[in-house]
Amino acid sequence: MGTVIMHSVVSVDGYIADENDDVGPLHDWYFSGDTPITEGDDQRYDHSGAGSGFKVSRASAEYVRRMWESIGTIVMGRTLFDLVNGWEGSPPAGDHVVVVSHRPKPEGWHPEASYRFLDDVPAAIGKARELAGERVVAVNAGEVGGQALAAGLVDEVAMDVVPVVFGSGKSYFGSIRGQHLLEDPHVVVQGDGVLHLRFKVGRRAK
């Protein structure tokens, strides 16, 4: 099975959005550089609606490209699904999406898209790993990611840290409680307006 990575863009004080789910300047770096995430005419990651796609610094492009190309399945919560309308059935990375929700998929919504709706985080991670095979499962940070981490289902934590302080908002780790050990970062990439970090999740001795 592939690696399960909890991931999101995050402020330096640990928030992925404000109380109203507004990301403010957190995603500005996706559009402030001169290097497309994909090379040539590949529009796979162009979800900007402007036809120009994401353009970031060269360092960020290399990091994000490798990251996104490794993903087989994305796991997301219902709040994010509703906010982006499930990316209209075409996720920015991977071939499959698993949505953690007590509500079913909206009737008639993109029947061709490989989206599964499950109401349990462990079951969602299990289905996502099955669908991803040897590829990465990317779990969106927040409540779903925090629950997966607390359940011991996350192998790595990936954070794209943006130099902004929110003061309050939606926490990267959701409402997780207790201490959870991470190893020293094994990936540190400095882009323009963002710092990419990846930590392996520490395993406590039993």
Side-chain angles (χ1 to χ4, degrees):
M1 290 290 185
T3 302
V4 177
I5 300 178
M6 179 180 176
H7 171 255
S8 188
V9 182
V10 60
S11 68
V12 293
D13 56 343
Y15 296 105
I16 57 176
D18 68 16
E19 298 291 356
N20 298 314
D21 293 308
D22 189 337
V23 298
L26 286 180
H27 293 176
D28 288 357
W29 63 274
Y30 275 124
F31 307 99
S32 62
D34 56 9
T35 306
I37 290 176
T38 54
E39 298 173 337
D41 295 327
D42 186 354
Q43 297 298 305
R44 175 173 170 78
Y45 302 133
D46 185 0
H47 293 264
S48 67
S52 59
F54 298 115
K55 288 189 175 181
V56 297
S57 67
R58 181 170 298 278
S60 287
E62 293 174 357
Y63 172 79
V64 174
R65 186 180 300 130
R66 287 195 302 270
M67 179 78 161
W68 286 7
E69 288 176 349
S70 72
I71 293 171
T73 306
I74 291 174
V75 178
M76 66 193 305
R78 188 57 182 255
T79 297
L80 180 58
F81 175 87
D82 289 342
L83 284 170
V84 301
N85 197 28
W87 301 297
E88 299 296 343
S90 182
D95 300 314
H96 313 280
V97 174
V98 178
V99 182
V100 180
S101 175
H102 294 291
R103 291 178 285 135
K105 181 168 68 172
E107 185 175 354
W109 184 88
H110 294 285
E112 78 288 352
S114 181
Y115 280 55
R116 310 294 202 281
F117 286 67
L118 297 172
D119 63 2
D120 177 77
V121 169
I125 299 296
K127 173 57 70 174
R129 296 189 73 175
E130 175 188 324
L131 292 169
E134 296 302 315
R135 301 178 72 191
V136 165
V137 172
V139 184
N140 285 112
E143 290 298 331
V144 169
Q147 290 178 42
L149 179 63
L153 301 173
V154 173
D155 300 305
E156 294 187 25
V157 169
M159 310 176 85
D160 298 325
V161 184
V162 173
V164 60
V165 175
F166 271 32
S168 64
K170 303 296 179 70
S171 170
Y172 179 97
F173 292 101
S175 54
I176 193 171
R177 296 291 182 266
Q179 293 186 1
H180 298 268
L181 301 178
L182 306 180
E183 297 180 2
D184 290 340
H186 65 97
V187 175
V188 180
V189 176
Q190 183 174 340
D192 293 343
V194 64
L195 178 66
H196 307 287
L197 301 172
R198 282 175 64 173
F199 309 81
K200 292 182 179 179
V201 176
R203 305 296 184 188
R204 287 192 178 93
K206 294 184 179 180

